[in-house]
Amino acid sequence: MENNTAYKLIDGKFSSEDADSILTALFNYKIDYHQREDFSKHIRFNQDIEHSKKRVLELTETKETIKQLIADSKSNNLNLVIKGEITIQFEKQ
């Protein structure tokens, strides 16, 4: 089994509006995922959720930075070329 596989998630040229829609949905989903996991782990197992809290903060800050890039592209009448890749690796537990 190959140990390192990559898949295209996003690969194209987008208008400001489309880029905003796609990237906002992606970041919102990841933020929501971490918040639900936090709640579940805390309630069910009383586990430490600091990693997820940190990740939510990082994702929120990145989302705001991207929102500014999109606003800049819109005000300058520019499209955005977005390329995103998912890399999956195996490692022993």
Side-chain angles (χ1 to χ4, degrees):
M1 181 177 292
E2 191 173 335
N3 187 35
N4 192 355
T5 307
Y7 302 95
K8 288 182 186 179
L9 178 64
I10 303 172
D11 186 12
K13 180 174 25 174
F14 300 92
S15 68
S16 300
E17 293 81 13
D18 288 343
D20 186 35
S21 178
I22 292 166
L23 295 173
T24 297
L26 184 62
F27 276 87
N28 284 345
Y29 181 82
K30 282 294 294 176
I31 290 167
D32 186 52
Y33 169 81
H34 280 286
Q35 289 172 334
R36 280 187 318 225
E37 284 296 303
D38 282 355
F39 180 76
S40 177
K41 287 178 182 177
H42 184 68
I43 294 298
R44 292 172 44 210
F45 307 114
N46 199 27
Q47 285 185 340
D48 180 25
I49 56 175
E50 286 307 310
H51 170 73
S52 287
K53 283 183 177 182
K54 181 180 175 192
R55 188 67 182 126
V56 166
L57 182 59
E58 290 170 352
L59 289 165
T60 303
E61 290 172 353
T62 301
K63 184 174 104 172
E64 292 307 314
T65 301
I66 289 172
K67 287 273 191 192
Q68 185 57 54
L69 289 172
I70 292 169
D72 292 346
S73 74
K74 188 172 187 171
S75 66
N76 290 300
N77 200 31
L78 299 170
N79 286 326
L80 293 103
V81 177
I82 303 172
K83 297 179 185 285
E85 183 177 272
I86 300 293
T87 303
I88 299 174
Q89 299 175 322
F90 294 102
E91 83 175 19
K92 294 190 184 242
Q93 294 183 9

